């Protein structure tokens, strides 16, 4: 396959940045999107150019490091797929592909396609945890959990914090991420004592970071590689309203 | 957004039902208009309940717009650098993307509508005419462009509610789990009923069923 890439290049946080066009020849349809960028980078290095910086780690769709907006869609148009698990067979030969970093004020660009997602860490630090008195793990069945709650909590817990929800949201809102964490902990018995304070603290931190407000467009859940459902946001709103009373 | 929107939806339901009185002739419609002013009498003085409703509505509209502007401003601040590629909507919700400009069209419509039917400023019959005469004159076939504007505005209202109705439940934390299908279907149904109900009157005048 031969492709034309339009890639966002930005030398550092203070650089203005620009779109740069690259031709990539002899791409195998079996390559992942990141492998295709690896091939381009090897050629750039051989030519003495600066390789394109992009985040990646596990390359098996579970770490949440990779993420770029491909042709205007976070992680590309393939549903429920991270960029590393997106394969070139989904693109036509001769295609022109636009690649941009996540765009959000709380996610400043570090270099090229790499953004700083520390804002998510600070939201977690605000309350996305359970304070547990130290001790050995309890027996598995000593605290019963309803199957429905366990399933919903697990669905929410699959969030990998990649930030695609923010990138896709027309409002730049981090509601789906925050709601996934609040739902995950708030549905389980261990999360009950801090349920109200957690929702309040995390939502307030989210707003403090400069993320936009949720208008329930549903763009987040549509691009989420883990398919975190929209009803997590309703749960977050319910917990937050209860805590704000 | 959700609370003020809910107040406005309740008003629209009442308004739409009241409009249908036009199909029962001039007297029924004019009596209805008079009843709005004498509601609760003699316990409540003339026009008190109507005035209270009007104040509540104005406050709701202002707060609704304030919420919308705040959200839009926060959204602009949250994404100072735009995407170069056109962002393709992945959630299939056409109505969702009409909310902001649709809201502006609805606001312009409400201003025209008040000037037309309430104050009579842009109505051929003027303020002193009976409500029914103003209605029939306003949607006269020769003023087809007014009717067209009403049709466009009502479709915008329908789209606005198509998203707004279920979105309000979501915002208040009342939606969830497997209820989205039913909730969204109800939103679509209520929006459709309102649009058809509202449009039946101007179209009725246009084709001569109401005269």
């Amino acid at each position: 396959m031969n492709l034309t890439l339009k890639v966002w290049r930005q030398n550092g946080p203070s650089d203005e940045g620009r779109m740069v066009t690259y031709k990539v020849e002899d791409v195998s349809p079996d390559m992942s999107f990141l492998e295709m960028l690896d091939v381009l980078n090897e050629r750039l290095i051989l030519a003495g150019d600066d390789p394109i910086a992009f985040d990646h780690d596990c390359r098996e769709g579970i770490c949440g490091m990779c993420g770029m907006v491909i042709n205007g869609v976070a992680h590309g148009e393939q549903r429920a797929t991270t960029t590393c698990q997106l394969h070139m067979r989904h693109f036509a030969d001769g295609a022109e592909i636009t690649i941009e970093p996540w765009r959000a004020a709380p996610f400043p660009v570090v270099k090229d396609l790499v953004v700083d997602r520390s804002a998510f860490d600070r939201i977690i630090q605000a309350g996305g945890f359970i304070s547990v008195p130290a001790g050995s793990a309890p027996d598995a069945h000593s605290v019963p959990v309803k199957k429905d709650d366990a399933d919903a909590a697990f669905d929410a817990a699959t969030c990998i914090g990649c930030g695609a929800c923010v990138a896709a949201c027309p409002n730049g809102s981090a509601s789906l991420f925050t709601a996934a964490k609040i739902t995950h902990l708030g549905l389980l018995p261990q999360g009950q004592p801090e349920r109200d304070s957690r929702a309040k603290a995390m939502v307030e931190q989210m707003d403090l970071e400069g993320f936009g407000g949720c208008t329930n467009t549903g763009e987040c859940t549509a691009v989420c590689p883990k398919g975190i459902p929209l009803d997590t946001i309703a749960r977050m709103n319910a917990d937050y309203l209860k805590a704000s009373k | 957004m959700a609370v003020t929107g809910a107040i406005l939806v309740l008003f629209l339901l009442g308004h739409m039902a009241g409009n249908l009185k036009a199909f029962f002739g001039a007297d029924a419609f004019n009596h209805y208009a008079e009843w709005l002013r004498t509601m609760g009498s003699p316990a409540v003085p003339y026009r008190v309940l109507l005035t209270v409703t009007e104040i509540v509505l104005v406050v709701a509209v202002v707060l609704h717009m304030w919420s919308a502007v705040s959200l839009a401003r926060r959204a602009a601040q949250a994404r100072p650098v735009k995407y170069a590629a056109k962002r393709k909507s992945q959630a299939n919700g056409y109505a969702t993307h009409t909310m902001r400009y649709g809201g502006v069209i609805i606001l312009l419509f409400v201003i025209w509508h008040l000037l037309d039917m309430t104050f009579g400023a842009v109505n051929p019959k003027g303020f002193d005419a009976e409500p029914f005469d103003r209605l029939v004159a306003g949607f006269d076939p020769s003023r087809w462009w007014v009717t067209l504007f009403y049709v466009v505005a009502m479709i915008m209202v329908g789209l606005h509610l198509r998203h707004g109705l279920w979105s309000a439940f979501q915002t208040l934390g009342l939606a969830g789990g497997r209820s989205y299908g039913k909730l969204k279907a109800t939103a679509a149904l209520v929006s459709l009923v309102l649009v058809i109900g509202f449009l039946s009157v101007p179209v009725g005048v246009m084709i001569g069923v109401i005269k």
Side-chain angles (χ1 to χ4, degrees):
Chain A
M1 298 170 76
N2 297 317
L3 302 165
T4 306
L5 304 186
K6 288 185 170 172
V7 187
W8 180 260
R9 300 304 310 262
Q10 185 173 339
N11 284 329
S14 53
D15 183 24
E16 227 180 46
R18 68 216 66 85
M19 298 300 286
V20 178
T21 306
Y22 299 96
K23 297 263 182 212
V24 197
E25 277 115 31
D26 298 326
V27 173
S28 157
D30 297 328
M31 284 177 182
S32 75
F33 201 84
L34 298 188
E35 284 167 341
M36 183 273 294
L37 287 177
D38 289 337
V39 167
L40 170 62
N41 274 348
E42 281 170 12
R43 290 176 196 170
L44 287 177
I45 292 167
L46 284 177
D49 288 337
D50 197 18
I52 299 163
F54 61 89
D55 253 338
H56 61 99
D57 190 14
C58 74
R59 298 211 179 197
E60 53 186 21
I62 55 164
C63 77
M65 282 307 285
C66 65
M68 43 194 83
V69 173
I70 301 163
N71 287 338
V73 182
H75 290 302
E77 280 191 71
Q78 193 72 13
R79 289 278 169 122
T81 305
T82 54
T83 304
C84 64
Q85 291 295 300
L86 176 67
H87 287 80
M88 298 316 295
R89 56 180 168 269
H90 297 297
F91 294 87
D93 190 16
E96 193 181 281
I97 305 171
T98 311
I99 309 171
E100 296 169 88
W102 290 167
R103 293 289 188 204
F107 286 169
V109 173
V110 178
K111 190 175 196 292
D112 298 337
L113 304 172
V114 180
V115 298
D116 179 357
R117 287 176 291 127
S118 305
F120 271 9
D121 296 338
R122 289 188 292 272
I123 293 175
I124 294 290
Q125 283 165 2
F129 49 78
I130 287 170
S131 307
V132 185
S136 56
D139 285 338
H141 288 298
S142 62
V143 186
V145 182
K146 276 200 293 183
K147 176 79 168 102
D148 285 349
D149 286 352
D151 285 351
F154 190 80
D155 281 350
T158 57
C159 167
I160 53 177
C162 66
C165 44
V166 175
C169 178
N171 302 306
S173 170
S175 286
L176 195 68
F177 166 77
T178 310
K181 304 303 172 190
I182 287 174
T183 301
H184 160 203
L185 300 174
L187 281 177
L188 298 174
Q190 295 85 344
Q192 295 313 310
E194 292 160 301
R195 185 167 174 177
D196 286 1
S197 59
R198 174 186 308 116
K200 202 159 188 314
M202 290 180 78
V203 169
E204 278 163 10
Q205 186 63 36
M206 170 177 81
D207 290 344
L208 210 62
E209 295 291 344
F211 291 106
C214 177
T215 59
N216 306 322
T217 64
E219 297 291 339
C220 50
T221 186
V223 298
C224 177
K226 299 298 156 185
I228 304 292
L230 208 58
D231 70 303
T232 55
I233 296 180
R235 282 182 206 278
M236 171 176 77
N237 291 341
D239 279 5
Y240 179 78
L241 287 174
K242 188 161 161 274
S244 307
K245 269 182 192 158
Chain B
M1 209 90 259
V3 175
T4 51
I7 293 171
L8 296 172
V9 169
L10 291 177
F11 161 73
L12 284 182
L13 286 168
H15 186 6
M16 190 274 284
N19 282 3
L20 297 181
K21 285 269 182 191
F23 284 102
F24 298 99
D27 286 344
F29 193 72
N30 290 338
H31 282 152
Y32 164 67
E34 185 57 25
W35 172 77
L36 288 178
R37 287 156 182 77
T38 57
M39 252 187 299
S41 74
V44 185
Y46 183 73
R47 220 183 183 288
V48 164
L49 284 181
L50 185 62
T51 309
V52 169
T53 311
E54 284 168 347
I55 292 168
V56 169
L57 286 175
V58 168
V59 171
V61 168
V62 169
L63 290 180
H64 198 71
M65 285 179 352
W66 173 77
S67 308
V69 170
S70 314
L71 278 167
R73 285 184 54 170
R74 275 183 66 188
Q77 283 162 3
R79 181 160 298 134
V81 183
K82 305 280 174 253
Y83 288 110
K86 194 173 159 9
R87 208 184 52 237
K88 285 180 220 155
S89 172
Q90 297 297 296
N92 37 4
Y94 174 72
T96 309
H97 303 283
T98 67
M99 295 306 274
R100 284 185 184 139
Y101 77 85
V104 173
I105 293 177
I106 294 168
L107 174 68
L108 293 174
F109 164 76
V110 168
I111 293 170
W112 171 269
H113 184 53
L114 288 176
L115 288 174
D116 187 7
M117 294 299 171
T118 306
F119 302 111
V122 292
N123 188 281
K125 293 278 182 180
F127 181 71
D128 296 325
E130 288 287 317
F132 188 78
D133 296 338
R134 253 180 281 157
L135 173 77
V136 174
F139 296 118
D140 190 81
S142 65
R143 280 163 56 95
W144 57 269
W145 46 274
V146 173
T147 311
L148 185 69
F149 181 38
Y150 270 69
V151 171
V152 171
M154 281 312 115
I155 289 169
M156 277 300 159
V157 169
L159 289 172
H160 211 74
L161 296 188
R162 172 74 185 79
H163 174 71
L165 273 171
W166 80 262
S167 182
F169 282 88
Q170 170 87 355
T171 301
L172 296 175
L174 303 171
R178 291 153 195 92
S179 66
Y180 281 106
K182 273 184 200 159
L183 195 59
K184 287 191 175 182
T186 310
L189 186 71
V190 173
S191 311
L192 195 67
V193 167
L194 274 174
V195 171
I196 293 172
F198 273 124
L199 284 182
S200 65
V201 175
V203 171
V205 175
M206 190 91 171
I207 61 175
V209 177
I210 299 171
K211 59 191 170 203

